[in-house]
């Protein structure tokens, strides 16, 4: 069982913490450090249980805190000493300036303002002295002239970059203007195309209807072509019967009509004769022979014309 130690700010101590003098010394140091920290904050040390792990952790925190506090005190004392030296030097410089008639109260307001601006610039540039030698300037880089030259070089570089960025921005602005003009043209073209959609759709429908009619006509013409082709095959048409052959046959037909015209005239003259059965029969037989002879002659002429074309 753990033994409770009564009292405000007194933590609980376990049996494991009573093993030796070293643990007791650490506990005493931890207690003193906790009391100092909480007293500084105006609070009381809370009750908690001491264990070897918590003692070790708190002891390490106390050691680190004391080391940092000691280092902070050293730095603070150094700053205080430097501040005293700076105040002393400032008093000496103020006395010198007053002796030569350059006290701050006797200077014009614009001179004071300019001096203040110069001091601010020096602080901004981390300049400690304006009369350093060249070697010190190279080592420290804290001369006012060197710093101003460096600022001028930086300003020149910034101006060059600004000019380059300005040139690039002008180029980008020109590209943007061209892109806007192109976009406007495309929008106008799109609107025109959208306006042309309805007439084009109507025209497409008309073409579609005409295409259907033409397809129907094509089927009709193909059917007529096949019918005419079958008819030509049926009547004995061959590719050898060309235009030239037909022209020759037409000329022969004209010649035959010329030759048969007298016969037809003779036949017409027979119509004026009185009817006689025997004479009529003889005349008919004679005309039949003449007609048969004419047909035979016509066939011979056609055969000879076909043979000549072959």
């Amino acid at each position: 069982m753990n033994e409770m130690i009564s009292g405000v700010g007194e933590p609980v101590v376990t049996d494991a913490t009573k093993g030796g003098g070293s643990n007791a010394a650490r506990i005493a140091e931890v207690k003193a450090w906790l009391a100092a920290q909480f007293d500084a904050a105006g609070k009381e040390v809370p009750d908690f249980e001491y264990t070897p792990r918590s003692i070790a952790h708190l002891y390490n925190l106390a050691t680190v805190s004391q080391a940092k506090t000691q280092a902070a005190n050293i730095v603070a004392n150094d700053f205080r000493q430097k501040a005293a030296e700076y105040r002393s030097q400032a008093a000496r410089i103020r006395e010198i300036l007053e002796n030569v008639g350059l006290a701050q109260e006797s200077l014009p307001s614009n001179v004071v303002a300019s001096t203040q601006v110069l001091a601010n610039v020096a602080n901004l540039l981390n300049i400690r002295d304006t009369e350093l030698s060249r070697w010190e300037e190279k080592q420290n880089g804290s001369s006012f002239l060197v710093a101003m030259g460096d600022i001028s070089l930086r300003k020149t570089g910034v101006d060059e970059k600004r000019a380059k960025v300005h040139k690039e921005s002008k180029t980008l602005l020109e590209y943007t203007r061209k892109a806007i003009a192109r976009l406007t043209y495309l929008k106008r073209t799109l609107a025109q195309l959208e306006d042309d959609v309805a007439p084009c759709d109507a025209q497409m429908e008309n073409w579609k209807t005409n295409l259907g009619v033409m397809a129907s006509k094509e089927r009709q013409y193909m059917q007529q072509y096949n019918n005419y082709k079958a008819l030509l095959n049926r009547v004995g048409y061959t590719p050898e019967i060309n235009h030239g052959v037909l022209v020759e046959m037409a000329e022969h037909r004209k010649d035959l009509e010329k030759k048969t015209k007298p016969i037809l005239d003779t036949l017409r003259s027979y119509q004026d004769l009185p009817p006689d059965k025997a004479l009529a029969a003889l005349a008919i037989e004679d005309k039949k022979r003449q007609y048969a002879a004419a047909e035979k002659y016509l066939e011979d002429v056609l055969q000879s014309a076909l043979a000549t074309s072959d």
Side-chain angles (χ1 to χ4, degrees), residues 47-101:
D47 296 335
F48 63 93
E49 181 181 358
Y50 275 136
T51 63
R53 184 177 180 181
S54 64
I55 292 172
H57 184 65
L58 290 174
Y59 182 77
N60 291 332
L61 287 178
T63 303
V64 173
S65 177
Q66 291 172 0
K68 290 187 177 181
T69 303
Q70 185 178 2
N73 290 330
I74 294 172
V75 173
N77 293 330
D78 182 66
F79 285 161
R80 293 190 189 95
Q81 184 178 358
K82 287 182 179 180
E85 293 176 357
Y86 290 152
R87 282 193 294 269
S88 176
Q89 186 177 4
R92 182 176 62 82
I93 294 174
R94 186 180 298 105
E95 184 179 358
I96 293 172
L97 291 176
E98 290 177 354
N99 291 333
V100 298

Side-chain angles (χ1 to χ4, degrees), residues 251-279:
E251 292 177 354
H252 288 295
R253 181 175 177 276
K254 289 180 180 180
D255 293 338
L256 292 175
E257 287 179 351
K258 289 179 180 180
K259 291 179 180 180
T260 57
K261 185 177 180 181
I263 300 173
L264 292 174
D265 293 339
T266 304
L267 290 175
R268 289 191 184 95
S269 64
Y270 290 161
Q271 293 178 357
D272 298 334
L273 295 175
D276 188 355
K277 186 176 181 180
L279 293 175

Side-chain angles (χ1 to χ4, degrees), residues 148-211:
M148 292 301 295
D150 183 62
I151 290 295
S152 299
L153 291 176
R154 292 182 181 180
K155 181 178 179 297
T156 303
V158 171
D159 291 338
E160 292 177 355
K161 291 181 179 179
R162 182 179 298 174
K164 183 178 179 181
V165 170
H166 182 66
K167 184 177 180 181
E168 292 178 354
S169 64
K170 288 181 65 177
T171 304
L172 292 176
L173 181 60
E174 186 66 22
Y175 287 159
T176 304
R177 289 176 180 174
K178 291 180 179 180
I180 292 174
R182 188 66 177 175
L183 179 61
T184 304
Y185 171 75
L186 291 176
K187 286 183 177 179
R188 187 166 57 251
T189 304
L190 178 60
Q192 183 178 359
L193 292 175
E194 289 178 350
D195 294 337
D196 294 340
V197 166
C200 290
D201 288 340
Q203 189 174 6
M204 286 294 293
E205 291 295 331
N206 188 18
W207 287 350
K208 186 176 180 181
T209 304
N210 293 337
L211 183 62

